[in-house]
């Protein structure tokens, strides 16, 4: 963890992926995490999988609302 929050910088992509490629990457990540044996799944990986599922859902909402 960082000593202070001031040193943390958000990750900013210079060239964002097109919508379909974003969704493909997110789905690939979700598939990889769900392929892990549930007995071996750490809370951190579960959280990452949950966050990826939410990102996928939010991308769909944005597309449906014409924001992408």
């Amino acid at each position: 963890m960082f000593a202070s929050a001031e040193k943390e910088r958000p990750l900013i992509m210079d060239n964002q992926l097109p919508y379909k490629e974003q969704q493909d990457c997110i789905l690939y990540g979700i598939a990889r995490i769900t392929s892990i044996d549930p007995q071996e799944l750490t809370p951190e990986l579960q959280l990452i999988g949950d966050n990826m599922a939410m990102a996928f859902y939010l991308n769909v909402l944005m597309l449906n609302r014409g924001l992408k």
Side-chain angles (χ1 to χ4, degrees):
M1 195 83 198
F2 292 100
S4 72
E6 296 173 358
K7 293 182 181 179
E8 291 185 46
R9 294 191 176 160
L11 176 64
I12 299 172
M13 293 179 60
D14 292 330
N15 298 315
Q16 291 187 351
L17 294 173
Y19 170 78
K20 180 160 179 1
E21 290 181 38
Q22 289 178 29
Q23 294 299 77
D24 290 345
C25 289
I26 293 169
L27 282 176
Y28 177 75
I30 292 170
R32 292 287 306 255
I33 290 173
T34 57
S35 70
I36 298 171
D37 180 10
Q39 299 288 347
E40 297 177 12
L41 192 62
T42 64
E44 292 84 7
L45 282 176
Q46 180 65 46
L47 181 61
I48 291 169
D50 292 346
N51 288 341
M52 293 177 96
M54 181 60 70
F56 182 84
Y57 176 70
L58 290 174
N59 272 347
V60 169
L61 285 178
M62 288 171 58
L63 178 69
N64 289 339
R65 293 183 180 186
L67 298 175
K68 280 251 176 193

